[in-house]
Structures are given as structure tokens and as C-alpha cells.
Amino acid sequence: MTPEPSANPCCVPAAPCWVSLLSRDVLAAEAFYGPLLGWTFRAVPSPWGRLVHGVLDGTVVAGLAEVARRWEFPVAWTTYFGTEDVDDAAERVRSGGGTVAVGPLTLDGGRIVLAADGQNAAFGLWQAPARPPRRLCGPGAPVWTELRTYDPFAAALFYGRVFDWDARDPNRYEVRYEHDRVVLRIDGRAAAAVRGGGVEGAPEPALRPRWHVYFETADVDRSTEAAVRLGGRIAAPPADSAYGRVAAVHDREGGLFHLVSGPPPGT
């Protein structure tokens, strides 16, 4: 699930730093995401089953782990946030009304937790040595993550307490409301957002409270068509937005993700 110690370009505390797919069949995921996003794959030792890293132009950009069936989790993309102390952050999750499903666990890439907030949106915590931040961009890269939930302000308070956003250097960390979203900015750049849109108890995964992962593509329409040819299905067709053209897609196993062209949302 986690990258190797030297694989991820940065681990900025209190910011999204990694995305990982909980899959039932990694080979099927490779056959889908490889041609769609231009990834190659590198096998990584794992005690739970097959684990690979998606590699884009020599840089590791995501993890694909064959654990959804074993752990009885739904197939889904998970956003991990960096933290200086994963044990303390896990306790803040619990005290804030969230749950800790897995961990803390010590792996080669650091210490991790899989958790859910009070509205049952899943996310991860990752403690690893910090590195100088370098933004990944370009087709195939994860460029944005956004929580859609039925109470965005309660969610913003929850994550603010877990990651101590208010207590951090105000010259680096800023939380503000813009474009109908609560946006976390770090060093002047939008890092993540929380917005309304999740529906409590919704049967459709696209409507449940969850963190949505966006991958950049040069042409959303063509990439959406390619996703369907590769065995995926459209959750929301390509449409123009203030951030460029966006579409939502399910992969072969139902994992939901987004494609975006133009400036990533929140920039």
C-alpha cells in the first residue's frame, strides 16, 4: 500500500502525499490503468499479497494492492495524508468521532493507518521521513484530491483537529473557503478540498462520502472512451468545469476515480 522509503517525492505533514488502490485483482488493475494512464509497474514485497507501484516517467505515483478481498474492503482509491506521529494522529481520529480500521502498522515505507472520518469517508495516515516537496504533474499523475461529504464544515473541523492545521505555520498552511469548497493550501498551493455532495446512505458509490482522486489526462473525452474500451464504465460523463474538463469513471472492479484536463481543481 505504501511506497518504498525513497519512492514518493514528498511526505508533507498534514497534506495528501500518496494514493493507493485497494483491489481484488492487481493484474486486472494493471491491464486497466497501465494503458489508460501510461503507467508501468514495479512489484513490491508485501505480507498481504500482490502489491505494485505505478510508475510514470521513472517516478512512483501510486500503489495498487490486492487486499480488498482479503480484508473485505470495497475496491476503492485511498488518499493518504502525511503525519509526524501516526499513533497520535490515529488517537485524534478516534477522539474526533472517526474510526481506525487497520493499524498503526510498520512497513518498509513507514508507518500507516487506514481510517474513516465521522461520516465514514475512508482515508490513510502515513508517517515517513519528510522530503523536499515536488509537485507531480502531467498526464497520468494524480493531481488533486477532494472530499465530497454531506457536512463539509464538520469534516473540515475533523481533519483540522487530526492534522492540527490551525496550529501550523500560518505562512505555510492556510485553510479557507473558496469556490464552494473548504480548501487546504500549503505554500500557496491548493493541496486538498472538502465540499458538499456526499449523500448519507447513498447506494451509488459516487454519492457516498469519500475522498475523490483526480488523474490528469491530455484529453478527457478520449481517455474516458479508452477507459470504457478497457472494461471500465462511466460514472459521470465528460463535462466542462471551472477547472477544465472532468469525468468520473469506474475501473473494471468498480473503483471510482476522476480524469481531468486543464488546470487541476483548486489551483
Side-chain angles (χ1 to χ4, degrees), residues 68-174:
R69 181 185 293 110
R70 178 169 181 171
W71 289 355
E72 298 184 352
F73 285 168
V75 174
W77 281 98
T78 302
T79 296
Y80 284 78
F81 289 79
T83 178
E84 299 95 333
D85 187 329
V86 75
D87 296 87
D88 179 64
E91 184 54 39
R92 291 178 186 230
V93 168
R94 296 187 185 96
S95 65
T99 57
V100 172
V102 177
L105 298 176
T106 299
L107 302 176
D108 289 344
R111 282 173 59 73
I112 70 161
V113 158
L114 287 177
D117 62 26
Q119 298 172 59
N120 208 34
F123 66 101
L125 303 169
W126 179 42
Q127 178 184 343
R131 301 180 183 89
R134 178 171 64 85
R135 188 177 183 183
L136 292 172
C137 59
V143 292
W144 178 246
T145 187
E146 180 176 273
L147 174 65
R148 297 183 191 175
T149 188
Y150 49 85
D151 191 341
F153 292 101
L157 289 173
F158 170 85
Y159 289 97
R161 294 189 186 105
V162 169
F163 297 114
D164 250 351
W165 285 339
D166 289 342
R168 296 181 181 274
D169 182 354
N171 295 317
R172 292 198 62 204
Y173 292 81
E174 179 185 13

Side-chain angles (χ1 to χ4, degrees), residues 35-63:
L36 181 66
L37 298 177
W39 293 353
T40 57
F41 298 95
R42 179 188 305 162
V44 181
S46 169
W48 298 293
R50 184 171 173 80
L51 169 64
V52 300
H53 287 161
V55 180
L56 179 67
D57 296 331
T59 298
V60 174
V61 294

